[in-house]
Amino acid sequence: MPALPPKNNDVSVPPQPRLTGNQEADAQAVQQWMNLFIQSAVRESKMLDPAFHASTGDFEETGVLPDPAQTSLALAQLIANLALQEVRGRFPEDAGQFTVSGTNDFAQLQFSEERASSTYFVLCQIVDQTGSPASGARQIKTIEKSTTGFTVTLVAAPGASAAVTYDFLIIQNL
């Protein structure tokens, strides 16, 4: 294996830009930050220097991957399905749905088994609404996470005879 690039103490990652809420200005600030990030983290740190890249001769393990001539699309799908089944076995409640209705402005979800940590991400997306929910019911204010569950709080309650349904996906930091 090739050696790591020499450490350059003069290289530092630029701080992330502060977003203002102005889409055009924020997009420009993020683009400038990404350019600076790539310049400092990749170019100046020499991560792109071919002298530090691995070559095919650096890998000596043979027989680790299946022979492509002996592999089929069905076998690849089977392996992907088994991997997904393994992940779902470890984290069975990684996706689901919740509804917030009436004067409630939050949904509290409990896991059937305690997780090892609360370092997971919760992604939410509106999938349905009934009645005429308040606009704040379509915006998430906070997500409080724990090892036993999480609570999603909306900016506003949907209101009388109204409800908003969200799908959620949990991505566990391993």
Side-chain angles (χ1 to χ4, degrees):
M1 260 315 181
L4 292 173
K7 185 176 181 186
N8 182 349
N9 290 329
D10 295 332
V11 176
S12 63
V13 176
Q16 293 177 339
R18 292 190 143 239
L19 301 181
T20 62
N22 178 331
Q23 273 187 321
E24 197 170 306
D26 290 348
Q28 187 176 9
V30 169
Q31 182 180 14
Q32 289 172 347
W33 175 79
M34 289 179 69
N35 288 335
L36 288 172
F37 177 84
I38 289 171
Q39 182 179 353
S40 66
V42 178
R43 292 186 185 132
E44 293 175 11
S45 69
K46 298 185 182 180
M47 287 175 60
L48 293 180
D49 189 336
F52 300 108
H53 289 191
S55 68
T56 55
D58 294 332
F59 302 100
E60 297 180 17
E61 291 189 43
T62 57
V64 174
L65 295 174
D67 179 6
Q70 304 297 321
T71 305
S72 67
L73 184 58
L75 179 60
Q77 185 63 55
L78 175 65
I79 292 170
N81 289 347
L82 290 172
L84 181 61
Q85 185 177 0
E86 174 67 22
V87 168
R88 286 194 173 146
R90 288 186 191 176
F91 309 108
E93 300 162 309
D94 61 350
Q97 199 171 72
F98 63 88
T99 300
V100 181
S101 61
T103 58
N104 292 325
D105 67 348
F106 70 94
Q108 191 170 26
L109 291 95
Q110 297 294 315
F111 302 131
S112 59
E113 294 181 21
E114 188 169 356
R115 290 182 178 252
S117 74
S118 60
T119 58
Y120 54 87
F121 298 97
V122 180
L123 304 175
C124 297
Q125 173 181 324
I126 294 174
V127 293
D128 195 18
Q129 66 182 34
T130 56
S132 297
S135 62
R138 295 183 203 90
Q139 299 172 7
I140 294 175
K141 183 177 180 180
T142 61
I143 299 177
E144 296 176 28
K145 301 177 289 183
S146 73
T147 57
T148 58
F150 61 95
T151 302
V152 177
T153 303
L154 306 179
V155 171
S161 301
V164 179
T165 301
Y166 287 84
D167 277 350
F168 71 86
L169 174 67
I170 297 173
I171 301 173
Q172 182 69 44
N173 240 359
L174 298 177

